[in-house]
Amino acid sequence: MRRAAELWPFQPTVRYARQLAEALRAETVGGVIMLLATVAALVWANVSHDSYEALRTTVVGPHALHLDLELYKWAQNGLLAIFFFVAGIEVKEEFVHGELANLRKAALPVLAAVAGMIMPALVYLAVSWGAPQAGRGWAVPTATDIAFALAVLAVTASALPAALRAFLLTSAVVDDLGAITIIAVFFTDHLNLLALAAGAAVIALYGLLQARRVRGAWIYVPLAVLAWYLVEISGVHATVAGVALGLMTRVHSGPGEESSPAERADHRLRPVSAGFAVPVFAFLSAGVVLDAGSLGAVAGDRVVLGVIAGLVAGKFLGVFGGAWLAVRLGLARLSEELHWRDMAAVSILAGVGFTVSLLIGGLAFGDDPERAAAVTTGVLAASLTASVLAAVLLRVRVRKHLNAQDDVVTRAR
């Protein structure tokens, strides 16, 4: 009798699964999948908006555990916890092994990231001042989508110095940490202190076991799920649990370990985050109607215009201005490999808000579907604009760098 694999030649193999997982660890692949999910959502929402809304608002989960959530809420609170867990690991790695481990090196991306969160909020408030509910959306343009931004950089400017990617990655990591702090502090409607304390205790236990080098997914996965659940019912956004657990994960390998727990967790979960969690969130969040009436309303909505201005102009002014001021004041140093025009291009790229901006927009205007949809349209428009502008400028910088290298080779001859 022939084996099942011979009867069904298309059956996935371990090798193909590994190849797929490896591909999903690349920023470009994850970015493309997220973009395709967004396009699919827009197409479905504009072909049959009622069926799209029926899908995203389908309630799933046990009522007894207070987990009877709509699908888009599961994507916001559940799937994005995986994304933020991976982000938390990245933050920890940067603090221990990366740019943030050296205060002198960390100053440039940290100050740029901080200014890159303050300036978009100020630009947003200036543009939206006096509009109804304007004060609720100030945090929407403060976030940078690390995956999407790195994907654009990888596709358009892989030939640029590695220092530019390091700057974008580090500043985006700090930005993620700031965004999750904003979510925790400003988007907590009610607070169950007992559940929050229990969640903190479980996270602390997770960290203690990590510090004591206890190994085994059998103990960490249940603890992570329990921590997520307790934070979810506490009233604090559940993605905070993801970041906290990521920060608690050990980044040093112990005796007999080929890699650290953080490296192993990142290796296993990054494909899940890039290939499933973030695309599903994008699909359930980005489906807005793009007809003449809705686009006209968006164009006349100062809240939406504030979001667009904050992401496109505010992010550039904040990131580039923060970096320039840090160097001018002697607080940081620009890598010799980079030019300020490189920094200008990547500062525009920081205006790709997407995932976290969509999340914050949903939290800020969740009780007003029309305004939430308009803000989503604004985030998509701003992210597309920032991506295109940055891609053009980055390609120009690539040609300049390549020409400079050719000139050096010519002189050497």
Side-chain angles (χ1 to χ4, degrees):
M1 187 173 65
R2 289 181 294 174
R3 293 177 301 173
E6 294 173 333
L7 292 172
W8 183 245
F10 301 106
Q11 181 180 7
T13 66
V14 173
R15 179 168 61 88
Y16 292 148
R18 287 176 179 171
Q19 290 175 344
L20 176 60
E22 198 59 42
L24 288 171
R25 292 184 187 102
E27 291 96 356
T28 50
V29 177
V32 168
I33 294 175
M34 181 165 55
L35 182 60
L36 291 175
T38 302
V39 172
L42 289 171
V43 170
W44 188 347
N46 283 272
V47 171
S48 177
H49 186 257
D50 289 342
S51 63
Y52 174 79
E53 280 298 313
L55 172 68
R56 70 188 297 268
T57 56
T58 299
V59 176
V60 177
H63 176 73
L65 296 177
H66 304 288
L67 290 179
D68 47 337
L69 305 176
E70 296 168 313
L71 283 181
Y72 81 93
K73 283 288 186 181
W74 273 111
Q76 282 186 354
N77 299 12
L79 294 180
L80 282 194
I82 301 173
F83 167 80
F84 277 108
F85 177 78
V86 174
I89 289 176
E90 288 181 331
V91 172
K92 183 76 170 285
E93 289 280 7
E94 286 293 320
F95 272 112
V96 177
H97 301 303
E99 295 288 315
L100 298 178
N102 184 306
L103 290 178
R104 184 70 174 173
K105 289 183 178 180
L108 186 65
V110 168
L111 293 174
V114 172
M117 296 187 77
I118 295 173
M119 187 57 70
L122 294 177
V123 170
Y124 166 86
L125 290 172
V127 173
S128 65
W129 190 264
Q133 300 180 329
R136 296 165 60 178
W138 64 270
V140 176
T142 61
T144 294
D145 188 295
I146 185 170
F148 215 135
L150 287 174
V152 173
L153 185 65
V155 170
T156 60
S158 58
L160 287 179
L164 194 65
R165 184 186 185 282
F167 171 82
L168 178 61
L169 173 62
T170 307
S171 59
V173 162
V174 175
D175 189 286
D176 273 350
L177 194 58
I180 205 67
T181 303
I182 289 173
I183 291 171
V185 174
F186 295 99
F187 294 99
T188 300
D189 296 328
H190 63 279
L191 193 60
N192 184 330
L193 291 176
L194 183 60
L196 183 60
V202 173
I203 293 170
L205 176 59
Y206 175 99
L208 178 63
L209 293 174
Q210 284 284 310
R212 291 184 176 275
R213 303 187 186 281
V214 175
R215 299 183 63 177
W218 61 270
I219 187 169
Y220 289 115
V221 172
L223 283 177
V225 173
L226 179 59
W228 172 86
Y229 171 69
L230 291 169
V231 173
E232 165 69 16
I233 65 173
S234 74
V236 175
H237 201 268
T239 51
V240 174
V243 169
L245 290 166
L247 291 173
M248 287 292 180
T249 303
R250 179 162 54 88
V251 295
H252 292 291
S253 56
E257 292 181 321
E258 294 183 1
S259 58
S260 70
E263 290 174 312
R264 294 194 297 272
D266 183 273
H267 189 77
R268 292 168 181 167
L269 289 179
R270 186 174 292 275
V272 178
S273 174
F276 180 71
V278 173
V280 169
F281 167 76
F283 178 76
L284 293 174
S285 302
V288 291
V289 176
L290 300 178
D291 56 18
S294 61
L295 291 177
V298 165
D301 190 333
R302 280 190 291 139
V303 168
V304 179
L305 296 178
V307 168
I308 296 173
L311 283 169
V312 178
K315 270 293 184 181
F316 168 75
L317 293 173
V319 174
F320 184 81
W324 181 83
L325 190 61
V327 172
R328 290 287 294 178
L329 295 177
L331 301 174
R333 183 177 61 85
L334 185 66
S335 171
E336 294 179 357
E337 299 178 310
L338 298 179
H339 190 279
W340 280 113
R341 292 174 184 172
D342 301 327
M343 297 295 289
V346 85
S347 297
I348 292 177
L349 186 55
V352 180
F354 209 79
T355 304
V356 184
S357 289
L358 290 178
L359 172 61
I360 296 176
L363 296 175
F365 300 105
D367 59 350
D368 185 347
E370 290 187 7
R371 173 57 60 77
V375 168
T376 296
T377 303
V379 170
L380 295 176
S383 297
L384 176 62
T385 302
S387 297
V388 171
L389 289 176
V392 171
L393 292 177
L394 287 168
R395 293 306 301 168
V396 171
R397 294 307 302 159
V398 167
R399 287 197 293 271
K400 292 290 185 181
H401 277 273
L402 292 177
N403 290 338
Q405 291 173 4
D406 290 342
D407 289 343
V408 170
V409 172
T410 302
R411 292 194 198 100
R413 292 175 180 172

